[in-house]
Amino acid sequence: MGDFLALICPNSSSVWNGKGFSECFEDMVLGFGLNAVTIVIIVVVGCIHKSSREIQRSDAQMGLLKKLFLHVIPAVGACALLLDIIFLWKREINRHFVGYHKWFYSCSELMVWANIIIFSRCVSSHHMLCNNVLCYWWILKPLFWIFHLLKKFPLLETSIWVVESFILLLNITFGISINVIRIKMLSPKNSSFEDPLLSNDKDLEEGCHHDLGKSRNFCDSMTFKFINPVMNHGVVKQLDFEDLLQLPLDLDPLSCHDIIFTCWQAQLSNNGSNPSLLRAVCSAYGWPYLRLGLLKVVNDCLGFAGPLLLNKLIQFLQQGSEGLDGYLLAISLGLTSVIKSFLGTQYTFHLGKLKLRLRSSIMTLIYQKCLCVNLAERSKFSNGEIQTFMSVDADRTVNMCNSFHDVWSLPLQIGVALYLLYTQVKFAFVSGLAITILLIPVNKWISKLIANATEKMMKQKDERIRRTGELLTYIRTLKMHAWELLFSGWLMETRSSEVKHLATRKYLDAWCVFFWATTPTLFSLFTFGLYALMGNQLDAAMVFTCLALFNTLISPLNSFPWVINGLIDAFVSSRRLSRFLSCPENKSKVKETNSCSLPFHSEQPDSLQGLAVSFQDACCTWSSSDDEALNLVLNHVSLILPRGSFVAVIGEVGSGKSSLLYSILGETRVAHGSIHSDGSVAYVPQVPWILSGTIRDNIIFGKSYDPRRYAETVQACALDVDISLMVGGDMAYIGEKGLNLSGGQRTRLALARALYHGSDVIMLDDVLSTVDAQVARWILHNAILGPLVQGKTRFLCTHNIQAISSAEMVVIMDKGQIKWVGSPNDHQVSSYITFSPLNELDSDVQNQGKSCCTNSSSKLKELQDREINHVVEGAEEVIEAELRKEGKVELGVYKNYAMFTGWFITVVICLSALLMQASRNGNDLWLSFWVDTAESSQTRYSLSFYLAILGLFCIINSFLTLVRAFSFAFGGLQAAIKVHNRMLGNLINAPVQFFDLTPGGRILNRFSSDLYTIDDSLPFIMNILLANFVGLLGIAVVLLYVQVFFLILLLPFWYIYSRLQFFYRSTSRELRRLDSVSRSPIYTSFTETLDGSSTIRAFKSEDLFFAKFTELVTMYQKTSYTEIAASLWLSLRLQLLAAFVISFIALMAVVGNHGNLPVHFGTPGLVGLALSYAAPIVSLLGSFLTSFTETEKEMVSVERVLEYMDIPQEEIAGCLCMNPDWPCQGVIEFQNVTLKYKPSLPPALCNLSFTIAGGAQIGIIGRTGAGKSSVLNALFRLTPICTGSIFIDGININNIPVRDLRSRLAVVPQSPFLFEGSLRDNLDPFQMHDDLKIWNALEKCHVKEEVEAAGGLHILVKESGMSFSVGQRQLLCLARALLKSSKVLCLDECTANVDTQTASLLQSTISNEFKGITLITIAHRISTVLNMDSILILDHGKLAEQGNPQVLLKRDSLFSSFAQASSM
């Protein structure tokens, strides 16, 4: 070996030269050796792949982009090597010794490129160059070469170094290209390499609807020119969704869902006990993500070319050399920045696309899970928690894409920077490194604390969102009870706990920022200090190369804690999502059977054929599979029901009627036994679920529209008259949860849905209790017993005696067990029916039914004709489209945020940031002064003095950094607290109409996503913005001080910069607003689906709702995709502009060095300082505008929140202060009261006048929608009356403070309301009564036994009171009213959902316990009002009849006709 080396390189014969491997050895092994191996591989592969027609045809069809990479790059490489050989030859001519090893190295590299060119001509370039061995080898080869080049760098001439760097770049590009082409060839489903990344269409008039074809060229993709049509639109008009870019195929939410779903199913199969969403994500998107990492490696390595070139340039300037080397270095600085700009933006673009794919995958996966998992399994998660999964956890998991590559990339950047520092200052850099290493355990400890705080914060956030959702859902009831302040107080307590953990996190983050921001300054002090103390002299090239490397270190050092935090957040969120997604699902089906819990359902045996439903010793529970306590709701139930039968399920309140239906649907967990159901199912729950949309959408529910069946269904459900009165007919828009429909209308709409579907099994849960007697009779005979359901199996949970009498089979439930099954004529049922106090009023049911049919026979034909022929022109939109601002974010929004933060803190933050930057600039200027005095041998001061001043600057900088970090943390927290409190305060004071017209999802979006932005990301991005701004300001001041010619560039530079940012910001603002607007429907739809998931599953409409949800996600994806492309369009142009600035400054320095300019640029120290400050302009300019734009985008959240600080408010105050015992008599007087819910709607109450004497018991009856509940709305001032007055005890209620008024009245609402908390808090939230009094109230309301069985007053009531049946909830609400002891009590259908026997006992209780109290009862059961002092019959908001019920019964009156229609 030694002899060989002596021959090849006589001047360097050894392998090891004392400091490392010799140059000759490295050239022969890392240069010639690698090239020799490459040539052998090319020749072998080329010989194996022989050309054929098929191969030639594939080459002929090869796209332009492939040809560029496979043919042009080798040709350019060969040319570059020829140039390198010419340089060697020139050195030989000039009598400079060139070792044979250099000739071997260069010629072998030329042979590599020549072989590629020759073999790609003779053999298929597709098959040869994309060979696995060659592809993998070409990944390793550049890595060895990078190491080789870094070792040789200090010894090379500038021209040779530039050529060798260029050849390395070609190798890297070629290696990436052949690997990407190989992957594309292996994936035929993917688009070809030359396919456009995005679509393009240059016709602006068509609203930027781009083709996904091959119209986009390589240049457009690299420069993001395809976004220009959208940008042009954004400048001249407000952008709409049709103006956005079309999604590429790989971003389609459905295809993304399929990928992640397959991987998640694999996780469930392979890791059933502990499936991980993170592992599923890695399986789905791991390889594309890792391939992006390769691009990041190249980009990161290229980042270090700047400091190295800077070193060469300063050395050139110090030596005062002349020649072309200086110009070559100056231009290379700019070119390096240009190449890095293109690579960086492409990496960000493809990473952004991958994040969008992951986001849509996770969102659709969560949504699908909500559609599939039953209520029992879902019970371990609150609705607020599930909503947080969608709104927060999904985003945090997606953000892992940024953090994961940074985890290895940032240490790599730090490592390379440290190595390059070693080459400059030798082991002096160890002192700075020691500081960094010492901070690692500190930051690790802080990160652990942050993770704990984050987890606790997220739990409180879940609870807050749940409470907010509860408040929004029941706001009407809360206002009637005057409990909104109580609830907001509880919500504020939860928020305080959340903010406490948020504060912990923010202050820990501030420490992280402090440690990492001061690290470069400390690094500088210790490194240069130790270097000088070691006896070395500082020179400009070394110092400013180190400063440039310190600047390179700033970004990875500052980013690292955020990366760790982001990863921690992602891991926490992915664990939470994994727990939810791994819930068992009900997937089993029997024929078209509704599915139940997977382990307990199987194919029906032959013995069960012909049966609709079969229970075999079934025990069911609402607890999930994780809960140990079973709490059975059905206990050893055995039941067989034949097909086509009409079954009435009866029993007392809480006996298990609804649970029986839920068990058939598969919503409960079967703990023992089995349940079989046969055929398709339609279901109407006790609380009907209404979809946001038109009436027709709600009825057909995804089924095809059949006009005849539709008309018959509408008429059978008595909806024809209601529809005819609505603006827009059946195309009238129904708001969230049917807000603009009465309770009876909601029930009939849900019933129409069940009838229209024509399912084999129809399950109806107490559908007759919310409608009046006449409508109930009509529905029974025309819907439940009508021709539309002939031959269908019908289950009806009911207390309606007429329905029970009409049933073919009756099932009596008692405490979760079947007490009796048989015919309605049997003794058990007869005793139940004969209990009715209205039995004497029964008339001929059949005749009454025929009469009803005759009266409405003409309506059917009319409705059919109208439905078949009539086209509705438009429907009145009850829910207004979400408004969004136009133009830039107004200055007032920033001013408001500063006000929330506090003006003093705002000033402190700004001052500390400016002074911090000034101290840093002072530090660098002092270094420049030190270098100049050292080089001129005119040192005026001692070394310790220089170090002391440097140390002083460092201490001042550290202190100001600490002040800025903690000020920002404190200010951000103050803003978060004030924004939430003020928004919540305004919200609870808003009128009920605001909540009727605004979807809950839209409001919840403000309290979840927008508030999360204000809590967390807005202060973070504003901190970065401020740092970037003062950094740019410091750079501009130093450059102007050092280089006067920078002034020439400043004005045009600023003009171009301002034009670019104006062009971009006009679009980015609109895109951000569109993003917010497109996000709200996702949460609204998700919340709606959570509420109605059991109905969706019953109708087998999961696919329909999943398709609708994916449409919403697609719109959201389009907005985000366009946003990414627009931001990178700007980023690329800014970076190119900054590259020009660097080249200009470098060229001016070279020109000035040659003495060709009249102005001298000063000392080498100042020139070095200017160049080192010019280098980070690339990243800083891009970062500044990115952070500025991101801040503006994040400020949209503040803008949206401010909208809810300016919503209409109720008239809370009043001019009268009432006595504590008011009202003492309870006299109520309505004088000419007219009430409208909307100016465009007909009046709900029309000139209504009546008087109720003190202590009188009054019943209000009337057809559904007659205005009964509107009387209570007016009395409680929920809706302002248009004209007239209402008096209580002679006092006009408009003069009384509204909360004072509501707190003096008691009410039991139509929809019973129990909140999550203890039962005692539900009954006595203000803790005004002792337990004995509460138990007495429960006993009087006949619900004491159930409460005792459940566990007493301190049991936890589940969300929405799901621990109790609807009937039990109504009884508990009545007990609550009984405890209030008010002089005026309003009952809105409070006995609608209880059995007849309990209803009768309750009437007795009400009569006895509420003597002397003014009682207003809204009723559908005639028995409820028979013993009242007086009744009011309303019709279309007018008083149709008034009088004593017993007197009215004896004469021909409206009331007697109601009584005759009722058999209750």
Side-chain angles (χ1 to χ4, degrees):
M1 186 69 178
D3 293 338
F4 176 74
L5 287 174
L7 175 66
I8 301 300
C9 33
N11 291 349
S12 177
S13 58
S14 62
V15 174
W16 186 265
N17 60 14
K19 297 179 181 179
F21 290 112
S22 67
E23 183 189 359
C24 173
F25 179 80
E26 286 185 357
D27 274 346
M28 291 305 295
V29 175
L30 293 178
F32 176 72
L34 288 176
N35 289 334
V37 172
T38 309
I39 291 166
V40 170
I41 293 172
I42 292 169
V43 171
V44 171
V45 171
C47 292
I48 291 170
H49 292 284
K50 293 184 179 178
S51 196
S52 68
R53 288 184 183 179
E54 214 174 287
I55 290 171
Q56 286 169 1
R57 194 183 305 119
S58 70
D59 275 1
Q61 292 173 352
M62 192 164 51
L64 177 64
L65 202 56
K66 279 186 184 176
K67 287 179 181 177
L68 172 71
F69 282 112
L70 297 184
H71 297 308
V72 176
I73 290 178
V76 173
C79 292
L81 261 300
L82 283 171
L83 186 65
D84 190 33
I85 290 168
I86 289 167
F87 277 127
L88 290 177
W89 179 66
K90 185 181 172 185
R91 283 169 61 85
E92 285 277 9
I93 290 173
N94 292 335
R95 312 245 175 177
H96 291 287
F97 175 75
V98 179
Y100 291 114
H101 57 91
K102 293 185 183 295
W103 288 102
F104 271 106
Y105 172 50
S106 297
C107 291
S108 64
E109 183 67 22
L110 177 62
M111 287 295 293
V112 169
W113 293 115
N115 271 287
I116 289 173
I117 294 168
I118 293 164
F119 276 98
S120 62
R121 291 289 178 189
C122 302
V123 184
S124 166
S125 53
H126 261 86
H127 291 74
M128 192 199 80
L129 296 179
C130 298
N131 177 272
N132 286 350
V133 177
L134 195 62
C135 285
Y136 292 138
W137 174 250
W138 223 289
I139 292 173
L140 294 173
K141 183 172 178 271
L143 295 177
F144 286 116
W145 205 347
I146 289 170
F147 174 73
H148 178 48
L149 192 62
L150 285 174
K151 295 281 286 180
K152 288 173 62 176
F153 172 74
L155 309 171
L156 294 177
E157 292 178 13
T158 302
S159 54
I160 296 174
W161 188 87
V162 169
V163 171
E164 294 233 0
S165 299
F166 179 66
I167 293 168
L168 173 61
L169 186 62
L170 284 176
N171 269 281
I172 293 170
T173 309
F174 188 72
I176 292 171
S177 303
I178 61 174
N179 274 282
V180 171
I181 293 170
R182 181 180 66 84
I183 291 161
K184 293 286 181 182
M185 286 173 63
L186 292 174
S187 307
K189 290 181 183 178
N190 291 345
S191 58
S192 61
F193 189 76
E194 70 270 16
D195 282 349
L197 295 171
L198 301 166
S199 55
N200 190 22
D201 186 353
K202 299 187 177 160
D203 186 4
L204 290 179
E205 299 303 318
E206 292 183 17
C208 303
H209 286 283
H210 311 304
D211 281 336
L212 291 172
K214 299 187 178 181
S215 59
R216 184 173 313 138
N217 57 37
F218 176 72
C219 181
D220 284 355
S221 298
M222 291 298 290
T223 60
F224 302 99
K225 194 178 174 184
F226 55 83
I227 194 71
N228 280 2
V230 180
M231 307 282 277
N232 291 330
H233 274 201
V235 173
V236 297
K237 73 179 187 96
Q238 186 179 24
L239 286 177
D240 291 314
F241 287 110
E242 59 268 18
D243 297 319
L244 303 177
L245 292 170
Q246 291 287 25
L247 282 180
L249 294 176
D250 60 343
L251 288 185
D252 177 55
L254 277 174
S255 63
C256 296
H257 171 77
D258 292 342
I259 293 168
I260 194 73
F261 182 72
T262 304
C263 296
W264 176 248
Q265 289 301 110
Q267 272 296 306
L268 290 175
S269 304
N270 302 330
N271 304 287
S273 59
N274 187 28
S276 167
L277 178 64
L278 214 54
R279 286 196 290 266
V281 167
C282 289
S283 299
Y285 301 113
W287 281 115
Y289 187 65
L290 288 176
R291 290 201 299 271
L292 277 176
L294 193 62
L295 185 61
K296 185 165 178 61
V297 170
V298 176
N299 190 46
D300 289 346
C301 290
L302 203 58
F304 291 101
L308 296 176
L309 287 167
L310 181 65
N311 178 276
K312 287 280 186 183
L313 184 59
I314 296 175
Q315 282 182 357
F316 173 84
L317 296 173
Q318 274 182 312
Q319 293 163 5
S321 308
E322 292 194 11
L324 297 177
D325 281 5
Y327 296 105
L328 196 60
L329 285 167
I331 293 167
S332 297
L333 263 175
L335 280 177
T336 305
S337 301
V338 169
I339 295 166
K340 193 173 186 306
S341 301
F342 281 109
L343 289 177
T345 49
Q346 284 300 309
Y347 168 75
T348 308
F349 177 62
H350 289 288
L351 182 67
K353 283 178 67 178
L354 193 65
K355 285 172 67 178
L356 291 184
R357 291 172 69 189
L358 181 56
R359 185 180 72 182
S360 66
S361 298
I362 293 175
M363 290 177 91
T364 51
L365 200 59
I366 294 169
Y367 187 81
Q368 187 193 43
K369 192 68 185 181
C370 290
L371 288 174
C372 295
V373 71
N374 64 19
L375 296 179
E377 291 297 339
R378 210 179 80 191
S379 62
K380 56 189 171 187
F381 304 97
S382 69
N383 276 5
E385 196 174 355
I386 296 172
Q387 284 161 350
T388 308
F389 292 153
M390 182 69 83
S391 60
V392 177
D393 289 297
D395 282 342
R396 284 168 53 167
T397 305
V398 168
N399 288 335
M400 168 187 65
C401 289
N402 289 336
S403 303
F404 190 75
H405 271 325
D406 287 341
V407 162
W408 61 261
S409 169
L410 297 181
L412 174 68
Q413 291 177 51
I414 292 167
V416 174
L418 292 176
Y419 170 74
L420 294 175
L421 279 170
Y422 166 74
T423 63
Q424 296 297 317
V425 292
K426 301 304 176 190
F427 287 103
F429 86 98
V430 172
S431 58
L433 183 61
I435 298 291
T436 311
I437 292 171
L438 284 172
L439 288 176
I440 289 173
V442 175
N443 278 280
K444 186 179 177 183
W445 176 66
I446 290 175
S447 298
K448 192 174 179 181
L449 293 177
I450 288 172
N452 292 334
T454 302
E455 198 145 6
K456 290 173 184 174
M457 183 188 80
M458 290 308 296
K459 284 180 182 175
Q460 293 301 321
K461 187 181 185 67
D462 291 341
E463 177 62 14
R464 176 177 62 79
I465 290 175
R466 185 199 64 74
R467 283 187 180 275
T468 306
E470 198 169 53
L471 185 143
L472 295 174
T473 304
Y474 298 104
I475 188 68
R476 180 181 292 271
T477 307
L478 292 174
K479 283 184 175 290
M480 292 179 87
H481 284 92
W483 283 1
E484 64 266 44
L485 288 179
L486 174 72
F487 260 67
S488 67
W490 289 344
L491 188 57
M492 293 290 288
E493 286 175 17
T494 310
R495 174 65 175 170
S496 296
S497 300
E498 183 189 359
V499 167
K500 178 184 168 187
H501 298 304
L502 178 67
T504 304
R505 178 181 162 155
K506 284 291 173 192
Y507 290 131
L508 288 170
D509 279 346
W511 277 113
C512 272
V513 168
F514 166 70
F515 284 134
W516 289 98
T518 54
T519 301
T521 313
L522 292 170
F523 211 111
S524 168
L525 171 67
F526 282 85
T527 301
F528 292 138
L530 182 60
Y531 188 72
L533 290 171
M534 287 167 66
N536 297 306
Q537 185 176 336
L538 300 181
D539 68 87
M542 182 273 292
V543 166
F544 293 108
T545 301
C546 289
L547 277 182
L549 289 168
F550 291 154
N551 285 331
T552 309
L553 274 174
I554 287 171
S555 179
L557 287 174
N558 282 342
S559 301
F560 206 70
W562 303 108
V563 167
I564 298 298
N565 291 347
L567 270 182
I568 291 167
D569 288 349
F571 287 139
V572 169
S573 290
S574 67
R575 279 202 300 269
R576 283 158 53 87
L577 289 174
S578 298
R579 181 168 162 259
F580 173 65
L581 293 171
S582 57
C583 286
E585 296 178 10
N586 41 337
K587 288 283 185 185
S588 172
K589 291 190 176 183
V590 181
K591 297 181 183 175
E592 286 188 6
T593 307
N594 193 0
S595 51
C596 296
S597 303
L598 183 60
F600 307 105
H601 277 65
S602 56
E603 292 295 325
Q604 285 186 332
D606 294 338
S607 60
L608 298 179
Q609 296 300 320
L611 298 179
V613 173
S614 165
F615 285 76
Q616 296 177 355
D617 195 28
C619 296
C620 298
T621 176
W622 280 116
S623 56
S624 69
S625 53
D626 293 348
D627 294 338
E628 293 181 7
L630 285 179
N631 300 322
L632 297 177
V633 290
L634 292 183
N635 194 358
H636 295 286
V637 170
S638 293
L639 179 65
I640 294 175
L641 300 173
R643 291 180 192 165
S645 55
F646 173 31
V647 182
V649 183
I650 64 175
E652 294 184 359
V653 172
S655 58
K657 302 184 296 296
S658 297
S659 296
L660 187 74
L661 298 191
Y662 274 125
S663 297
I664 297 170
L665 292 171
E667 296 299 328
T668 59
R669 181 166 69 90
V670 183
H672 180 266
S674 64
I675 304 170
H676 298 280
S677 60
D678 183 29
S680 57
V681 175
Y683 170 60
V684 181
Q686 196 167 10
V687 179
W689 180 67
I690 304 300
L691 183 67
S692 296
T694 64
I695 288 175
R696 184 182 292 182
D697 289 340
N698 269 279
I699 294 174
I700 64 175
F701 209 59
K703 217 171 160 60
S704 57
Y705 177 61
D706 179 352
R708 186 170 298 279
R709 182 171 183 83
Y710 181 82
E712 290 171 352
T713 301
V714 167
Q715 197 227 2
C717 297
L719 278 169
D720 45 353
V721 176
D722 300 86
I723 289 173
S724 66
L725 294 173
M726 292 181 182
V727 179
D730 71 339
M731 298 303 285
Y733 192 90
I734 306 303
E736 193 177 21
K737 297 182 181 177
L739 62 94
N740 50 329
L741 299 178
S742 67
Q745 286 171 329
R746 287 197 288 269
T747 300
R748 286 181 285 135
L749 189 58
L751 178 63
R753 179 193 300 154
L755 261 59
Y756 184 79
H757 271 247
S759 302
D760 301 321
V761 179
I762 301 171
M763 297 197 285
L764 311 172
D765 196 351
D766 208 11
V767 294
L768 301 176
S769 63
T770 56
V771 296
D772 59 77
Q774 287 177 323
V775 175
R777 190 185 191 93
W778 173 266
I779 288 173
L780 177 62
H781 289 283
N782 293 279
I784 300 172
L785 299 173
L788 290 171
V789 292
Q790 286 301 316
K792 309 291 184 186
T793 308
R794 287 144 290 159
F795 290 85
L796 176 65
C797 293
T798 187
H799 306 298
N800 186 301
I801 291 163
Q802 188 179 339
I804 297 168
S805 303
S806 305
E808 298 167 17
M809 183 184 292
V810 176
V811 177
I812 300 179
M813 299 290 297
D814 183 36
K815 295 178 181 176
Q817 296 180 319
I818 293 181
K819 186 177 179 182
W820 186 85
V821 179
S823 166
N825 299 322
D826 289 336
H827 173 71
Q828 288 274 4
V829 183
S830 301
S831 62
Y832 187 92
I833 294 173
T834 53
F835 190 83
S836 171
L838 262 186
N839 211 34
E840 71 275 7
L841 293 174
D842 286 353
S843 58
D844 186 0
V845 172
Q846 298 298 325
N847 291 339
Q848 183 68 33
K850 287 175 185 175
S851 168
C852 291
C853 290
T854 306
N855 291 338
S856 296
S857 60
S858 61
K859 291 180 186 175
L860 176 61
K861 182 72 172 69
E862 181 188 340
L863 188 63
Q864 286 174 358
D865 294 340
R866 184 167 78 243
E867 290 304 325
I868 294 168
N869 301 316
H870 180 59
V871 178
V872 180
E873 291 181 4
E876 181 180 13
E877 289 286 337
V878 175
I879 304 299
E880 296 174 2
E882 187 166 6
L883 297 174
R884 58 189 178 97
K885 301 268 187 179
E886 294 185 33
K888 66 180 181 180
V889 176
E890 295 170 2
L891 191 62
V893 177
Y894 293 94
K895 185 180 173 184
N896 274 298
Y897 186 73
M899 200 164 56
F900 291 136
T901 304
W903 288 112
F904 175 73
I905 290 295
T906 305
V907 171
V908 168
I909 289 168
C910 294
L911 272 177
S912 61
L914 284 168
L915 293 172
M916 184 192 78
Q917 184 61 38
S919 66
R920 188 162 173 200
N921 290 145
N923 182 77
D924 294 340
L925 284 166
W926 180 251
L927 263 175
S928 171
F929 173 72
W930 185 358
V931 166
D932 288 334
T933 54
E935 287 186 348
S936 61
S937 302
Q938 296 175 356
T939 307
R940 303 176 196 170
Y941 308 106
S942 65
L943 179 63
S944 56
F945 177 75
Y946 286 114
L947 285 174
I949 299 296
L950 204 62
L952 183 63
F953 274 120
C954 185
I955 291 166
I956 293 169
N957 181 265
S958 300
F959 172 74
L960 290 168
T961 303
L962 194 65
V963 171
R964 194 199 82 182
F966 275 85
S967 300
F968 241 113
F970 180 76
L973 282 169
Q974 289 298 107
I977 293 166
K978 289 175 186 174
V979 164
H980 176 270
N981 294 357
R982 190 167 154 193
M983 183 164 65
L984 181 64
N986 281 30
L987 202 65
I988 60 169
N989 290 332
V992 170
Q993 285 78 6
F994 170 77
F995 300 96
D996 290 345
L997 297 173
T998 311
R1002 194 180 293 175
I1003 301 172
L1004 207 59
N1005 193 10
R1006 260 74 172 185
F1007 279 94
S1008 56
S1009 289
D1010 289 321
L1011 198 62
Y1012 179 73
T1013 296
I1014 294 166
D1015 284 355
D1016 202 42
S1017 44
L1018 180 60
F1020 171 63
I1021 201 70
M1022 285 192 84
N1023 200 352
I1024 292 173
L1025 172 67
L1026 186 62
N1028 287 333
F1029 173 73
V1030 295
L1032 277 174
L1033 193 65
I1035 287 174
V1037 169
V1038 170
L1039 288 179
L1040 284 172
Y1041 170 69
V1042 175
Q1043 282 204 356
V1044 179
F1045 277 94
F1046 185 63
L1047 276 171
I1048 299 170
L1049 201 61
L1050 196 60
L1051 288 176
F1053 176 78
W1054 180 252
Y1055 174 76
I1056 296 168
Y1057 181 76
S1058 60
R1059 294 304 299 166
L1060 277 174
Q1061 61 92 17
F1062 169 75
F1063 191 57
Y1064 167 68
R1065 283 174 57 211
S1066 304
T1067 303
S1068 74
R1069 279 191 304 266
E1070 296 302 314
L1071 289 174
R1072 186 61 187 214
R1073 286 165 181 151
L1074 280 175
D1075 182 78
S1076 296
V1077 169
S1078 63
R1079 192 170 60 225
S1080 288
I1082 290 175
Y1083 298 128
T1084 302
S1085 171
F1086 186 58
T1087 306
E1088 199 169 56
T1089 303
L1090 280 177
D1091 293 337
S1093 59
S1094 56
T1095 304
I1096 294 168
R1097 282 189 290 273
F1099 280 90
K1100 294 288 180 293
S1101 296
E1102 294 99 321
D1103 291 344
L1104 169 71
F1105 278 82
F1106 186 74
K1108 286 183 177 178
F1109 184 76
T1110 51
E1111 285 176 15
L1112 296 174
V1113 174
T1114 301
M1115 199 61 71
Y1116 189 28
Q1117 290 280 88
K1118 282 176 69 176
T1119 314
S1120 302
Y1121 177 59
T1122 311
E1123 258 192 296
I1124 290 169
S1127 65
L1128 291 172
W1129 176 93
L1130 172 75
S1131 177
L1132 178 66
R1133 281 149 183 78
L1134 281 182
Q1135 290 184 57
L1136 294 176
L1137 192 63
F1140 177 74
V1141 172
I1142 290 171
S1143 298
F1144 177 84
I1145 291 171
L1147 283 169
M1148 287 297 102
V1150 173
V1151 172
N1153 185 61
H1154 290 167
N1156 296 331
L1157 290 174
V1159 180
H1160 184 57
F1161 285 124
T1163 63
L1166 288 176
V1167 172
L1169 182 64
L1171 287 170
S1172 67
Y1173 265 48
I1177 284 183
V1178 178
S1179 57
L1180 207 54
L1181 263 180
S1183 180
F1184 171 68
L1185 197 58
T1186 302
S1187 57
F1188 182 71
T1189 308
E1190 282 300 316
T1191 301
E1192 196 170 40
K1193 288 177 182 177
E1194 302 291 356
M1195 287 303 287
V1196 171
S1197 290
V1198 179
E1199 182 183 71
R1200 283 161 55 79
V1201 164
L1202 286 171
E1203 288 172 15
Y1204 278 36
M1205 294 183 185
D1206 196 28
I1207 53 177
Q1209 300 286 284
E1210 284 188 307
E1211 293 180 18
I1212 302 293
C1215 57
L1216 296 176
C1217 187
M1218 308 311 298
N1219 294 325
D1221 57 348
W1222 181 91
C1224 52
Q1225 297 176 349
V1227 178
I1228 298 172
E1229 185 179 358
F1230 274 57
Q1231 292 183 358
N1232 305 316
V1233 172
T1234 299
L1235 181 146
K1236 280 187 176 184
Y1237 290 107
K1238 240 182 149 185
S1240 58
L1241 296 175
L1245 297 177
C1246 188
N1247 206 30
L1248 183 65
S1249 297
F1250 61 83
T1251 303
I1252 300 173
Q1257 295 191 349
I1258 300 296
I1260 302 177
I1261 63 173
R1263 195 178 182 281
T1264 302
K1268 305 184 293 295
S1269 295
S1270 297
V1271 172
L1272 296 191
N1273 285 346
L1275 184 63
F1276 281 82
R1277 287 177 59 189
L1278 291 177
T1279 306
I1281 57 177
C1282 303
T1283 59
S1285 304
I1286 302 171
F1287 296 89
I1288 298 179
D1289 282 1
I1291 296 174
N1292 191 329
I1293 63 171
N1294 276 338
N1295 298 327
I1296 304 170
V1298 69
R1299 289 201 180 100
D1300 200 10
L1301 167 70
R1302 292 168 185 166
S1303 65
R1304 306 299 178 92
L1305 310 176
V1307 64
V1308 179
Q1310 186 173 10
S1311 300
F1313 164 55
L1314 294 178
F1315 53 85
E1316 188 170 320
S1318 73
L1319 181 60
R1320 199 192 192 292
D1321 286 342
N1322 269 276
L1323 296 172
D1324 181 24
F1326 293 102
Q1327 307 294 322
M1328 296 174 67
H1329 307 286
D1330 57 28
D1331 286 4
L1332 184 61
K1333 195 169 182 181
I1334 295 172
W1335 281 115
N1336 287 337
L1338 292 172
E1339 190 172 14
K1340 289 171 184 175
C1341 294
H1342 305 281
V1343 76
K1344 182 181 178 182
E1345 288 183 15
E1346 286 83 351
V1347 172
E1348 286 176 334
L1353 292 177
H1354 296 285
I1355 61 161
L1356 181 69
V1357 177
K1358 289 184 180 178
E1359 196 170 6
S1360 303
M1362 291 300 289
S1363 316
F1364 297 96
S1365 69
V1366 176
Q1368 287 172 331
R1369 279 179 251 165
Q1370 282 191 321
L1371 297 180
L1372 289 168
C1373 289
L1374 184 63
R1376 182 196 288 154
L1378 192 61
L1379 284 168
K1380 194 168 185 180
S1381 304
S1382 174
K1383 198 67 180 174
V1384 176
L1385 173 62
C1386 303
L1387 307 177
D1388 190 355
E1389 285 297 328
C1390 75
T1391 59
N1393 297 102
V1394 298
D1395 59 278
T1396 312
Q1397 186 174 354
T1398 307
S1400 181
L1401 291 170
L1402 284 174
Q1403 289 305 315
S1404 173
T1405 301
I1406 289 167
S1407 299
N1408 297 328
E1409 296 297 328
F1410 294 104
K1411 279 184 179 175
I1413 291 175
T1414 303
L1415 184 69
I1416 301 173
T1417 301
I1418 294 173
H1420 289 146
R1421 282 181 176 164
I1422 302 302
S1423 59
T1424 309
V1425 297
L1426 265 182
N1427 298 318
M1428 297 282 175
D1429 298 328
S1430 178
I1431 58 166
L1432 307 174
I1433 300 179
L1434 299 182
D1435 184 33
H1436 294 101
K1438 298 177 182 176
L1439 185 61
E1441 191 170 270
Q1442 182 177 9
N1444 185 281
Q1446 300 297 337
V1447 174
L1448 293 174
L1449 271 177
K1450 293 173 183 174
R1451 60 181 193 224
D1452 187 19
S1453 63
L1454 274 173
F1455 181 66
S1456 63
S1457 67
F1458 269 101
Q1460 286 170 8
S1462 172
S1463 59
M1464 294 175 63

